[in-house]
Amino acid sequence: MSSTSFSTTPTTRNPLTEGLPLRRRPAPCSIVIFGASGDLTMRKLMPALYSLAFRHLLPEHFTVVGAARTAGSDDSFRESMLEAVKTYARDEFRQEVWDELCAGMRYVQLDETDDSMGDSLTGMLDRIDRERGTLGNRLYYFAVPPSAIGPLVEKVAEDRSTTGWNRLIIEKPFGHDLASARELNEEIGRYFNESEIFRIDHYLGKETVQNLLALRFANGIFEPIWNRQFIDHVQITVAESIGVEGRAGFYESAGAIRDIFQNHLLQLLAITAMEPPSDFTADSVRNEKVKVLHSLHTPGPKSVVRGQYGRGFVEGVEVPGYREEPGVAADSDTETFVAAKLYVDNWRWADTPFYVRMGKRLPRRETTIAIQFKRAPHPPFEEIAVEGLRPNVLLIHVQPDEGLSLAIGAKMPGQGMSIRTVHMDFLYGSAFRYGLPEAYERLILDAMLGDATLFTRSDEIEEQWALVDAIVAAWSRDRVAFPNYAAGTWGPPSSDDLLHRDGRSWRRH
Ligand code: NDP
Ligand code: BG6
């Protein structure tokens, strides 16, 4: 397939300000990370804080407090965070940046069942306020398993700061089903206002996901054709080549439906399908997203497919099947793949299928949203002239190779009138020539600034769970023989059938 590039004027590089809001620097604060010894803190949170420090985007007075049940000291915490930064940060290591960030770093061992927990943490935070000028502003990041969130929130609430603001970032999955999510919403809501609660879905912090908003609402050409009249269907793919990566304990009870579908996937769908908000305040954007989630039609059993990978080859390397992964039951029924045909029951999208699929151990890492337009009503060319011509597709590459690609028909050079599909591409890498910020950088900074636009509101979470609960209830009535796809393939054959039945097929490139 040929490829053409949109002519883009590269912007002047300013690596210190790239892609992150500089409207104002956050007020002084402390961030308390519950789950400080966990994978997320190591791989994402600490590297994100380092990158913010690297760009001077952190508050002038700032402190990181790590908290977990495991015994540790300030020094051991600093050492492991240094390791995390050196291993995972997207920026080069600079001693002076690290020294400044690490200067205020503290560790507290705590157990939410212990009555004195509040005292040790609050005492430490009060001291930090006095010594480091953090003004009683506190951002609590709950990077812990869902079961630990409620009790920890209660403890935090007992000792909430009265001199500054208190904000909570809550990791996903938020609950395990609708009932537990409601309970958690109610529990947190007893102590904190919605404006203090930041339910994180890191896909919303990805540049390309925000660019989808820019594409739709900052350009006049797309909105008139962004509907059932012009769009044949939409395909959303969240494919990962990795397996469970040592997270079997969590994944066994979550599966693909709770890990990705309930949150990242449905948020991508909501942003693709939402009406234009009247402004970009948190509530306007979230009001429009929740309407889409509410309009999702519960799919029938034939419209949802699940799979689990068996042994196979991914990127040339032999990998074990899911049931052979450490910590996974030998007869596990957990799904590692889901595909579904969804409908948004409203005037804009009635009868337009949204085909979605997500899974682990697929051939490659790829998150894309493909908007497939209807064919031209009557191509006045001979059939042979348009051989290989596909319908127009606007492909949004969320990751990797972030950018957009528009497939159009173009005349091949030479005699006659032969038409082929070519692509007009916009690539972040070549248009802006600098690395994109990690989602967690953007989101942590937004929470410090009190901007909840890119966080999920309680009603969105509940709509998402209502759909998942309906799907899971249908699954409990019908068993599937697992494993049913080999690692390194695009899921079970029934995933292809889902589209073939409608005379369509998944994009393959
Ligand atoms: P890990 O199992 O690696 O770490 C969990 C952390 O929580 C550890 O620091 C653990 O330390 C602490 N913890 C566990 N139970 C409690 C408790 N009862 N009270 C206080 N602290 C506790 O998990 P991850 O870091 O992978 O994930 C954390 C959260 O982030 C989960 O909700 C996960 O779904 C979410 N998440 C993770 C992602 C990832 O890539 N890892 C991506 C997106 C979301 P200790 O045992 O010492 O208390
Ligand atoms: C997390 C899931 O939310 O997202 C993981 O728990 C998954 O299972 C990860 O691997 C994917 O995130 P990203 O940003 O690498 O696409």
Side-chain angles (χ1 to χ4, degrees):
M1 208 61 40
S2 335
S3 175
T4 332
S5 277
F6 283 124
S7 151
T8 43
T9 314
T11 54
T12 314
R13 181 169 186 205
N14 182 353
L16 291 187
T17 55
E18 62 203 43
L20 288 165
L22 282 176
R23 299 183 300 275
R24 56 199 167 101
R25 207 167 175 184
C29 68
S30 301
I31 181 170
V32 179
I33 304 179
F34 293 110
S37 54
D39 175 76
L40 187 70
T41 305
M42 287 289 284
R43 283 193 308 109
K44 298 290 182 186
L45 305 185
M46 200 60 218
L49 288 171
Y50 175 81
S51 290
L52 291 173
F54 192 90
R55 289 169 181 72
H56 309 291
L57 291 169
L58 288 178
E60 202 181 339
H61 302 285
F62 180 68
T63 296
V64 182
V65 177
R69 294 168 306 179
T70 306
S73 64
D74 293 348
D75 283 344
S76 64
F77 180 54
R78 288 171 188 171
E79 256 169 55
S80 59
M81 293 302 104
L82 175 61
E83 173 81 20
V85 165
K86 286 186 170 167
T87 313
Y88 298 111
R90 69 182 173 109
D91 296 304
E92 67 189 18
F93 182 74
R94 286 197 195 152
Q95 192 64 45
E96 67 279 13
V97 175
W98 173 250
D99 287 345
E100 199 176 324
L101 184 60
C102 147
M105 225 175 244
R106 301 277 188 280
Y107 182 80
V108 59
Q109 180 188 0
L110 55 78
D111 185 336
E112 77 277 6
T113 57
D114 178 354
D115 283 344
S116 64
M117 173 203 132
D119 299 342
S120 49
L121 180 60
T122 312
M124 177 182 283
L125 290 170
D126 289 344
R127 252 192 332 277
I128 289 171
D129 285 340
R130 285 193 302 276
E131 289 166 9
R132 296 186 55 82
T134 40
L135 303 182
N137 293 327
R138 287 159 197 183
L139 180 60
Y140 296 94
Y141 199 122
F142 294 82
V144 291
S147 56
I149 291 173
L152 285 171
V153 167
E154 201 177 318
K155 291 282 181 192
V156 164
E158 283 166 14
D159 291 298
R160 60 181 296 148
S161 167
T162 49
T163 53
W165 47 254
N166 298 271
R167 292 184 191 136
L168 320 179
I169 302 184
I170 316 267
E171 259 303 337
K172 60 148 280 259
F174 191 92
H176 185 75
D177 53 16
L178 178 57
S180 57
R182 272 196 182 137
E183 213 173 284
L184 192 53
N185 273 330
E186 277 166 21
E187 190 168 7
I188 302 175
R190 274 202 287 279
Y191 309 110
F192 295 95
N193 301 322
E194 185 63 35
S195 64
E196 295 173 309
I197 306 166
F198 295 73
R199 296 172 198 79
I200 200 162
D201 181 319
H202 77 277
Y203 269 52
L204 294 179
K206 290 184 189 275
E207 279 293 318
T208 34
V209 175
Q210 295 163 60
N211 189 45
L212 178 52
L213 294 168
L215 176 84
R216 290 194 53 198
F217 307 130
N219 294 290
I221 61 169
F222 293 113
E223 217 35 40
I225 56 169
W226 206 264
N227 56 50
R228 65 191 299 273
Q229 251 185 296
F230 295 92
I231 292 176
D232 178 72
H233 73 276
V234 176
Q235 290 187 18
I236 305 181
T237 298
V238 180
E240 295 187 277
S241 54
I242 56 170
V244 281
E245 308 293 298
R247 295 173 69 214
F250 155 74
Y251 202 83
E252 274 283 84
S253 65
I257 192 109
R258 293 184 173 88
D259 187 35
I260 300 274
F261 179 95
Q262 188 272 343
N263 35 77
H264 306 328
L265 194 285
L266 289 180
Q267 284 292 323
L268 291 179
L269 188 152
I271 289 185
T272 307
M274 70 194 263
E275 295 300 315
S278 53
D279 53 44
F280 262 81
T281 56
D283 271 336
S284 299
V285 171
R286 298 189 296 180
N287 286 345
E288 296 308 333
K289 279 195 294 158
V290 79
K291 281 187 217 161
V292 172
L293 296 167
H294 185 69
S295 308
L296 280 171
H297 189 92
T298 305
K302 286 204 176 127
S303 296
V304 188
V305 161
R306 65 194 194 272
Q308 185 196 80
Y309 62 84
R311 226 175 254 212
F313 287 84
V314 178
E315 288 155 358
V317 177
E318 188 167 18
V319 296
Y322 178 70
R323 289 176 174 180
E324 297 160 301
E325 301 270 14
V328 172
D331 58 351
S332 171
D333 263 343
T334 301
E335 78 289 345
T336 59
F337 177 95
V338 178
K341 176 164 73 163
L342 301 173
Y343 285 102
V344 180
D345 287 341
N346 64 19
W347 272 51
R348 185 188 283 262
W349 295 113
D351 304 324
T352 311
F354 284 71
Y355 299 101
V356 301
R357 60 178 167 171
M358 72 239 55
K360 296 217 180 262
R361 289 289 191 220
L362 300 185
R364 61 173 177 269
R365 178 172 187 246
E366 172 193 311
T367 300
T368 48
I369 302 169
I371 314 292
Q372 179 153 331
F373 292 91
K374 291 186 173 166
R375 287 182 183 276
H378 169 67
F381 311 106
E382 285 174 43
E383 231 169 71
I384 187 126
V386 293
E387 221 174 74
L389 179 64
R390 308 205 200 137
N392 299 120
V393 176
L394 177 66
L395 185 61
I396 297 148
H397 295 266
V398 174
Q399 62 188 20
D401 306 327
E402 291 82 356
L404 296 174
S405 172
L406 179 63
I408 54 170
K411 180 186 172 302
M412 286 174 73
Q415 301 301 314
M417 177 59 96
S418 286
I419 300 177
R420 253 185 52 191
T421 296
V422 295
H423 291 102
M424 295 205 297
D425 296 327
F426 149 63
L427 279 172
Y428 264 91
S430 50
F432 296 107
R433 295 197 187 151
Y434 46 66
L436 299 179
E438 278 283 329
Y440 286 93
E441 293 170 40
R442 167 70 194 235
L443 295 173
I444 292 173
L445 192 59
D446 278 3
M448 284 180 194
L449 290 164
D451 181 350
T453 311
L454 299 177
F455 292 83
T456 320
R457 208 169 51 190
S458 57
D459 49 354
E460 291 179 80
I461 293 272
E462 292 184 12
E463 291 292 352
Q464 291 170 185
W465 276 122
L467 185 71
V468 167
D469 278 5
I471 293 173
V472 172
W475 283 354
S476 66
R477 294 190 287 273
D478 110 79
R479 279 181 72 83
V480 176
F482 284 160
N484 59 356
Y485 70 98
T489 64
W490 285 102
S494 46
S495 164
D496 291 325
D497 298 342
L498 189 66
L499 275 75
H500 291 168
R501 282 203 296 272
D502 297 344
R504 301 184 175 106
S505 51
W506 292 111
R507 288 183 48 259
R508 280 291 189 233
H509 58 92

